[in-house]
Amino acid sequence: MTPPTDVKTRASGADLISRAKDSIEEVQPTEARDQAADGAILVDVREQHEFEERHIEGAVLVPRGHLESRIEQFVPDRSGRVILYCATGIRSALAAKTMMEELGYEDVASMAGGITLWRDRGLPVVTPRALTQEQKERYSRHVLVPEIGLEGQLKLLDAKVLLLGTGGLGSPTALYLAAAGVGTLGLVDDDVVDASNLQRQVIHNTDTIGMAKTESARKAIEALNPDVKVEEHATRLDASNVIELLEQYDIVVDGADNFPTRYLLNDASVRLKKPVVSASILAFDGQISTFVPFEGPCYRCLYPTPPPPELAPSCGAAGVLGVLPGIMGLLQALEVVKLVTGAGTPLIGRLLLFEALGTEFTELKVKRDPDCPICGPNAPEIADEDLGKFPDYDLFCAG
């Protein structure tokens, strides 16, 4: 008598699992723990929602269904030790067989009993903070990207970023950081919305002409993403408030339009060890760099002294292509996301130039200046009580 189809299917599946287990190495949870401590890579082959509920600390998530397309991103060395685990040890056994027989990995094992046996043996698991259902929908495309994932999105939600200016550069930066789910955005600007701003300052609109720019920007951000907490600082950044403002945030986005403010921001950010993503625009040209104190050069390493006024006119005097600040502002937002999540390589020690008419990017390497009076090895140490004391930058920039 021929067995029913479902019985044959179950038998076939059991045979497949049995053959997979027979052909690969299995390790006990305590062995997996010890080998991971010695450098073996732990890979969780379950689904995203299972990983979010609990996982083993230090493990990377590569769902079995995405093994072929993603494993090389996390395990580029095919000769290194890799230990896979799932819920009970079945999926990880099948995945280990695939990695060795089809993908060319040489030293792969499956953890017997999976995370279930791991927990039964009293070994610790990580129960990560979860996104709400609404957040899962809103940030789903971020979570799908391995370099961001759930962990990166949670970092974005916890991040506090200060935007210096809500004009041409600050507008697109603020909108895209808000869309990305940066939890707290501080807005520094003492100006009001003018009709001449609307050609490039896209966070504002006709209805907000005459409104404080921080208020106008806050309304736009809150309409885009209610997750984001917006803190208005309707004031001008100066020596009296720069330390207090910067201390509240993790990263600063520099959209200033004058050199005294840029030098003040640089010196204060180095004192407080705060990263600054700095960009500038004029006519058809833009530039951007990321300054992380003592990891790369600071703004003064790049510009020890400001250029004469005739070589650096303001946008109000020389004009600016409306889409240019959008391009540079989005690059600033990208740098912030990389700094927060740890993905990619920020523009530390690199100056990126953009020329809009030819659509050309040029990258220049920038090194720390050993004689820099702010971040150099011989720069004077600043006592805590003197953190808020700065020179006259207007006088410095006047020559």
Side-chain angles (χ1 to χ4, degrees), residues 63-325:
R64 185 180 166 225
H66 299 285
L67 196 68
E68 290 84 350
S69 60
R70 293 187 182 177
I71 189 62
E72 191 173 3
Q73 299 177 41
F74 298 98
V75 190
D77 181 7
R78 282 178 163 76
S79 63
R81 179 65 165 171
V82 184
I83 301 174
L84 311 182
Y85 75 87
C86 60
T88 60
I90 294 175
R91 281 174 288 176
S92 57
L94 295 170
K97 181 178 174 65
T98 299
M99 286 183 64
M100 295 189 70
E101 295 183 0
E102 300 178 22
L103 302 180
Y105 284 85
E106 301 172 7
D107 191 9
V108 183
S110 171
M111 188 174 78
I115 196 171
T116 302
L117 183 57
W118 175 283
R119 293 179 66 208
D120 289 345
R121 296 281 168 84
L123 299 175
V125 295
V126 176
T127 305
R129 200 173 96 223
L131 299 175
T132 66
Q133 186 57 42
E134 182 180 334
Q135 288 173 330
K136 288 179 181 179
E137 293 175 6
R138 181 181 288 270
Y139 307 121
S140 62
R141 300 306 188 271
H142 266 179
V143 173
L144 287 172
V145 179
E147 291 82 358
I148 304 295
L150 173 64
E151 182 180 356
Q153 188 57 57
L154 291 172
K155 288 179 179 179
L156 288 168
L157 288 165
D158 290 339
K160 302 183 73 175
V161 178
L162 181 68
L163 284 85
L164 182 53
T166 55
L169 292 167
S171 289
T173 308
L175 287 173
Y176 270 86
L177 291 181
V182 171
T184 302
L185 292 177
L187 310 177
V188 180
D189 205 313
D190 65 344
D191 201 2
V192 298
V193 180
D194 183 81
S196 66
N197 302 146
L198 303 184
Q199 162 252 16
R200 63 200 178 282
Q201 299 181 18
V202 293
I203 204 167
H204 311 298
N205 61 69
T206 303
D207 291 339
T208 62
I209 290 176
M211 184 182 294
K213 284 187 176 180
T214 55
E215 181 182 2
S216 172
R218 175 180 58 78
K219 290 178 179 294
I221 291 169
E222 290 176 346
L224 175 63
N225 190 351
D227 272 349
V228 179
K229 178 184 178 182
V230 181
E231 297 176 343
E232 291 186 58
H233 305 285
T235 184
R236 187 175 184 83
L237 190 78
D238 59 30
S240 70
N241 60 21
V242 64
I243 295 296
E244 180 183 359
L245 284 172
L246 265 60
E247 283 181 328
Q248 302 174 50
Y249 298 89
D250 307 315
I251 299 170
V252 183
V253 177
D254 175 17
D257 59 0
N258 64 87
F259 285 105
T261 301
R262 288 185 185 276
Y263 283 101
L264 168 65
L265 174 60
N266 176 76
D267 296 359
S269 65
V270 172
R271 292 181 184 184
L272 295 175
K273 298 182 174 63
K274 300 284 185 177
V276 176
V277 180
S278 181
S280 60
I281 51 173
L282 185 66
F284 295 96
D285 298 308
Q287 64 179 41
I288 178 174
S289 189
T290 294
F291 303 110
V292 178
F294 308 108
E295 288 187 26
C298 74
Y299 186 79
R300 278 193 190 250
C301 295
L302 183 60
Y303 298 111
T305 58
E310 62 270 16
L311 295 181
S314 67
C315 291
V320 63
L321 179 68
V323 299
L324 179 64

Side-chain angles (χ1 to χ4, degrees), residues 30-42:
T30 51
E31 295 177 282
R33 176 199 61 192
D34 295 342
Q35 291 180 29
D38 289 337
I41 299 178
L42 273 179

